[in-house]
Amino acid sequence: MSVLSLLTAGEGMHAWAIATAATVAAGCALVGTLLVVRRMSLLGDAISHALLPGIVVAVLAGGRPGGVLVLAGAVAAAMLTVWLTQLFRSAGGLAEDAGAGVAFTTLFALGVVLVTAVAARVDLDPGCVLHGVLELVPFDTIPIAGFEVPRAFLTAAVVLAILVAGAIATWRWQVFTAFDSGAAQAAGVPVAAVTTGLLAATALATVAGFEAVGAILVVAMLVVPAATAELLTRRLHRMVAVAILLGVGASVVGYLAAWWCNTSAAGMIAVVLGIEYAVCVLLSPGDGLIARLFSQAWFRWRVACEDQLAACWRAEEAAAHTGMAPVLRRSMPGGSLACGWLATTGCLTRSRRGWMLTPRGREQANMVVRSHRLWEAWLGRHADVPLDHLHPPAEWIEHHLGTEVRRRIEAEVGLQASDPHGRSIPPEP
Amino acid sequence: MTGLPALSYNTMVVAVGVASVGCAAGVIGSLCVLRRRALVGDAAAHATLVGVALAFLATGRRDLPVLLAGGFASAVAALGVLVILRRCTRTRDDAATAIVLGVSFGLGITLISGITARGIPGGAGLEQFLLGHTAALTAGDAVLLTLVSAAVVLIVMLTLKEATLVAFDAPFAAATGWPVTLIDYALVTLVAVMVVVGLPAAGAVLVTALVVIPPVAARQWTDRVGTMLVLSGMIGVVSAVIGVSISAVVPRLATGPLVVLAAAMIFGGSFLAAPGRGWWSRSWRQRAVERAWTQGRLLAAAAEASAVRGGCFTRLEVADLVPGDGLRAARQFGAAWQTLVREGAIAAAPAAAEARLACVGAWRLTPMGQAAAAERARRVRCWKAVLESAPQDAKEFLTIDLPAPETLLGNERAAEVA
């Protein structure tokens, strides 16, 4: 069956399920971005676990799953978690993670006990609350304007609308608080209210999600797209847009993959989110592991080439003193590759007795040695370092100094100065 | 005890298994909480589902040791991924933990429901690892859990010194040559072991509680690491026994959540009632400090008023001189006044003074009250001198405990100031 026929099968059953998952994912990504930049990801985890008792109590009180009462119960449970965490920290001196760990596991255990104690009277399975049954979403519908709309989708859409409205209304405050809550407080932003609002929004997003994708997978939807987007961009509003795109994309791909493999759609969406994150960790330009490895390898190569040139330059200098032929007989470890490369770029030439500098190579080598000796001279003047300890830091920094820094160091140590070992500092070419 | 049904053999088996797990989890959890890695176990626990499902797929059997070995492998793998994410990416610690937790849980659910949907024989009950399923524990399983728990406790006892050092001052430990990273890995691996062993008892979602709640409860009672470890293990055992007993009496209720709730009750009690760190003890100390402070202000105000009015004052005059408005301040003033009268620092003035002040209810400071007021004035002057000469020292001491100002100022200078 092709994807298109899958989407239209059974009166758009799968399409509705995908739409529900995508709506939940969009809301979660919006809230999750703020949670991630505020380093409150684990509070999202705690809240999503702790919803269970709130939902059970609300259902026992006569609320229908997805109804306003259940929503209120869940938000109340979430706020209780946050309040308990704060109380344990301020009054008991507990670390934040330990306090949250105590609060949410206790509330979750309470929820499980409540469910099993009154299992006959409520239609709730703790397993389903944990991992959700996205596939069943299209079968519970209410008619709206002649269409049979799944109730879970309706809940998710309303919650998304609330979240978007809230985000638009308070965005500036949220951003200010997220990046510098102290300054925000001083500037008159109601920081406590802003934080409470964010936590309430987290609770809402989690509640909208728990029915479709389950409480724990909501954690994946909250945190993973935002963390992935953080690897790709450093601007907050772009991060939100990218996170929403990633979340919605993972919902579609995950649902289809789950249908293909005949397994849990919610679980598969989390797996796809994980794959997205892994791909970005590896491939992100600038920050990705591969980009980093590449730039490290490139740097090592540059260092090897420059060390080779400098060695040739020093051999020439020594030859000028002793009157022997200016050649480098023994190359450094791993240097023969670098020598070969330098020869093809026209910095070295090969004679019968060894490698020799070309004028172009001499100019580059000059700069490396100049950086090295200038740094030794500067260190010798300003740092209390014995003579034989000057070489290693200079050997390291000679690859990093630019023309401007060299000029300023020279201005400080004096134009005619030599390095602390008594060798002259070559002039800027 | 005819009210309780006799504990069946099966209940005993479950109780022994869960209690040993509770004990070892409490012990290793203490180190984890002290090292501020309380939720590392959470990520490991959620990741165990993957290994359980894979181990089942690989062997096709539901032996507890095989499934737990799979769970252990995947928990360690998840912790490895966590370390890599923390070290090599821009993602921060909390987000990395949440990512590992959410994604690995999703993968576990995907695998398990794939197994269930394909109707592989024996795969139907794997979901029980979500919330724990102690009733299925056999005597052999209980022996396995007990042995592993005992091994973990033994390892902790042998490496307690190193683990304590790293938990309290990792930079110092690194500087003195201890392999901090290695010790950290060992700690995290032991936590993974306990989380996996706790799976049958509490399930993947709640096993974190066994590692977090008993240590946090024990911490309320003591400042010594050894005592904390022992207490925490005991709390783990007690809550396991309570949980198993209740679920034996009320068969519908799952054991794992009951064990967690029992531990949470013990934590709640400790949080409120522990001496020193407990809520009540703290607020009592706070009130004592407030009382002493108000009495001091009152004495100073009384001394000031009596200096102005020639040895006598009215209560209203003193109240005007003590800063603070509102009902609370008024109540504190009243209480302090009564205390001082009862202790004999303030006494009713002779009738002549009343006539001189032209009012009813004149009071005077007794010689004892005058001495107390003078002593307080001297201390205030000394503290002012401390704050002026060495404000940093004073600030440091104020947060720890209020010493006598002479210790900071030196006796001669104190006498000079006074």
Side-chain angles (χ1 to χ4, degrees):
Chain A
M1 201 179 339
S2 75
V3 169
L4 199 65
S5 56
L6 172 73
L7 288 181
T8 51
E11 298 171 343
M13 188 179 87
H14 296 295
W16 274 126
I18 292 176
T20 308
T23 318
V24 170
C28 284
L30 177 61
V31 178
T33 308
L34 286 170
L35 283 183
V36 167
V37 295
R38 291 191 67 174
R39 306 181 182 207
M40 288 160 61
S41 314
L42 287 175
L43 225 43
D45 177 31
I47 285 177
S48 60
H49 280 80
L51 291 184
L52 188 62
I55 292 167
V56 178
V57 169
V59 168
L60 281 179
R64 271 169 20 89
V68 175
L69 194 58
V70 169
L71 233 64
V75 172
M79 294 329 257
L80 181 65
T81 318
V82 174
W83 180 75
L84 280 178
T85 308
Q86 306 282 8
L87 177 74
F88 292 158
R89 196 179 57 180
S90 61
L94 264 61
E96 180 140 5
D97 58 341
V102 172
F104 83 76
T105 52
T106 305
L107 284 171
F108 187 80
L110 189 66
V112 175
V113 167
L114 278 177
V115 169
T116 47
V118 294
R121 285 168 53 202
V122 293
D123 178 25
L124 264 179
D125 171 13
C128 285
V129 174
L130 283 184
H131 54 79
V133 192
L134 190 53
E135 295 81 351
L136 296 184
V137 159
F139 298 111
D140 183 9
T141 60
I142 39 177
I144 285 184
F147 289 102
E148 290 288 317
V149 181
R151 211 170 30 72
F153 174 76
L154 211 62
T155 313
V158 170
V159 167
L160 180 62
I162 295 174
L163 292 181
V164 170
I168 291 174
T170 64
W171 188 249
R172 281 168 167 277
W173 284 358
Q174 288 287 4
V175 176
F176 199 175
T177 310
F179 285 98
D180 194 342
S181 65
Q185 183 115 44
V189 174
V191 169
V194 166
T195 308
T196 313
L198 177 60
L199 292 170
T202 312
L204 265 183
T206 316
V207 176
F210 100 91
E211 214 176 333
V213 298
I216 295 179
L217 297 179
V218 166
V219 180
M221 279 196 169
L222 278 171
V223 177
V224 185
T228 315
E230 203 185 23
L231 296 177
L232 296 176
T233 171
R234 283 173 188 259
R235 314 267 322 169
L236 193 66
H237 56 275
R238 270 187 226 147
M239 203 175 135
V240 171
V242 173
I244 290 177
L245 275 180
L246 288 169
V248 171
S251 306
V252 177
V253 175
Y255 188 88
L256 294 177
W259 179 82
W260 192 261
C261 308
N262 186 18
T263 180
S264 155
M268 200 52 122
I269 291 173
V271 172
V272 173
L273 284 170
I275 293 173
E276 284 177 353
Y277 178 75
V279 168
C280 286
V281 163
L282 290 177
L283 297 182
S284 159
D287 273 323
L289 285 187
I290 291 179
R292 273 193 209 187
L293 277 182
F294 185 75
S295 71
Q296 268 177 17
W298 174 245
F299 177 70
R300 290 223 177 109
W301 176 247
R302 188 165 70 81
V303 167
C305 289
E306 288 181 359
D307 282 349
Q308 203 64 48
L309 286 174
C312 289
W313 195 95
R314 291 198 179 97
E316 269 187 7
E317 188 189 38
H321 284 298
T322 58
M324 282 168 62
V327 290
L328 183 70
R329 290 179 198 284
R330 215 161 51 94
S331 82
M332 316 178 184
S336 52
L337 257 181
C339 283
W341 170 250
L342 288 169
T344 54
T345 53
C347 294
L348 289 180
T349 53
R350 176 150 216 176
S351 72
R352 258 182 312 120
R353 288 172 304 175
W355 295 102
M356 295 177 66
L357 286 169
T358 63
R360 185 169 160 217
R362 191 167 296 117
E363 192 178 309
Q364 285 189 19
N366 196 37
M367 260 162 341
V368 178
V369 175
R370 179 173 154 76
S371 298
H372 184 105
R373 292 188 178 167
L374 274 174
W375 190 251
E376 283 185 342
W378 191 85
L379 269 190
R381 174 168 300 189
H382 290 285
D384 186 18
V385 182
L387 265 189
D388 54 340
H389 281 59
L390 288 174
H391 182 73
E395 188 67 16
W396 174 76
I397 210 160
E398 64 186 8
H399 308 287
H400 298 277
L401 293 184
T403 316
E404 172 61 18
V405 182
R406 279 198 298 265
R407 196 186 57 70
R408 285 173 60 183
I409 294 175
E410 188 179 46
E412 189 162 337
V413 298
L415 278 173
Q416 299 305 319
S418 58
D419 78 356
H421 305 296
R423 288 185 290 255
S424 66
I425 297 172
E428 194 83 22
Chain B
M1 295 293 280
T2 48
L4 283 174
L7 291 180
S8 65
Y9 172 71
N10 195 31
T11 313
M12 290 297 290
V13 165
V14 171
V16 168
V18 177
S20 55
V21 168
C23 176
V27 169
I28 190 70
S30 300
L31 293 177
C32 226
V33 166
L34 288 177
R35 185 84 179 93
R36 314 224 152 199
R37 299 271 160 87
L39 288 186
V40 161
D42 202 24
H46 285 75
T48 49
L49 279 189
V50 181
V52 167
L54 286 179
F56 173 75
L57 275 181
T59 60
R61 287 181 303 152
R62 286 196 54 195
D63 293 341
L64 193 62
V66 175
L67 296 186
L68 290 190
F72 176 66
S74 66
V76 169
L79 293 175
V81 171
L82 191 58
V83 170
I84 293 176
L85 290 188
R86 281 180 178 173
R87 289 233 169 132
C88 306
T89 69
R90 207 140 54 85
T91 308
R92 285 175 291 264
D93 281 8
D94 60 326
T97 311
I99 288 170
V100 168
L101 184 152
V103 173
S104 58
F105 190 76
L107 187 59
I109 293 294
T110 310
L111 287 172
I112 288 180
S113 45
I115 291 170
T116 314
R118 278 164 187 70
I120 297 173
L126 282 181
E127 279 198 341
Q128 281 162 353
F129 278 96
L130 272 183
L131 295 174
H133 191 61
T134 38
L137 226 55
T138 66
D141 296 340
V143 169
L144 174 75
L145 300 191
T146 312
L147 284 180
V148 174
S149 307
V152 167
V153 172
L154 192 68
I155 295 176
V156 169
M157 279 164 61
L158 290 179
T159 58
L160 186 58
K161 186 185 71 183
E162 289 79 8
T164 312
L165 179 62
V166 171
F168 280 96
D169 199 343
F172 174 73
T176 43
W178 289 102
V180 172
T181 320
L182 195 71
I183 295 172
D184 263 346
Y185 281 141
L187 176 65
V188 163
T189 313
L190 285 183
V191 172
V193 169
M194 276 332 293
V195 159
V196 170
V197 173
L199 270 193
V205 184
L206 281 181
V207 71
T208 319
L210 297 184
V211 186
V212 175
I213 300 182
V216 170
R219 179 72 186 88
Q220 299 291 316
W221 295 92
T222 177
D223 285 332
R224 313 231 20 121
V225 179
T227 321
M228 180 180 164
L229 257 67
V230 173
L231 262 183
S232 168
M234 274 161 47
I235 292 173
V237 170
V238 169
S239 38
V241 169
I242 294 176
V244 173
S245 312
I246 294 180
S247 79
V249 176
V250 190
R252 262 207 324 265
L253 299 181
T255 311
L258 286 175
V259 173
V260 174
L261 282 186
M265 297 292 281
I266 296 176
F267 167 74
S270 315
F271 180 71
L272 290 177
R277 287 173 71 95
W279 167 275
W280 288 331
S281 160
R282 274 178 198 233
S283 43
W284 190 84
R285 272 205 310 273
Q286 171 88 24
R287 273 202 299 277
V289 169
E290 272 175 15
R291 269 200 301 273
W293 189 82
T294 317
Q295 283 173 18
R297 298 305 290 254
L298 203 160
L299 275 176
E304 191 183 338
S306 69
V308 173
R309 303 291 300 261
C312 302
F313 47 86
T314 65
R315 182 171 161 158
L316 208 59
E317 286 168 355
V318 176
D320 279 345
L321 288 172
V322 174
D325 324 302
L327 204 57
R328 192 174 144 77
R331 209 160 42 217
Q332 281 172 348
F333 177 80
W337 181 274
Q338 274 171 15
T339 312
L340 288 175
V341 169
R342 198 172 55 240
E343 286 175 354
I346 299 176
E354 221 162 84
R356 186 156 56 78
L357 287 178
C359 67
V360 187
W363 298 82
R364 67 182 170 85
L365 282 172
T366 61
M368 184 197 126
Q370 281 165 1
E375 167 63 14
R376 182 182 180 280
R378 192 186 66 83
R379 283 181 69 94
V380 167
R381 276 198 302 277
C382 286
W383 270 112
K384 275 184 181 157
V386 170
L387 283 172
E388 277 161 13
S389 58
Q392 279 311 315
D393 289 1
K395 214 170 163 189
E396 240 166 55
F397 275 104
L398 280 176
T399 54
I400 307 169
D401 208 352
L402 217 60
E406 287 85 352
T407 54
L408 292 176
L409 219 50
N411 279 332
E412 290 131 42
R413 171 102 175 90
E416 188 184 308
V417 170

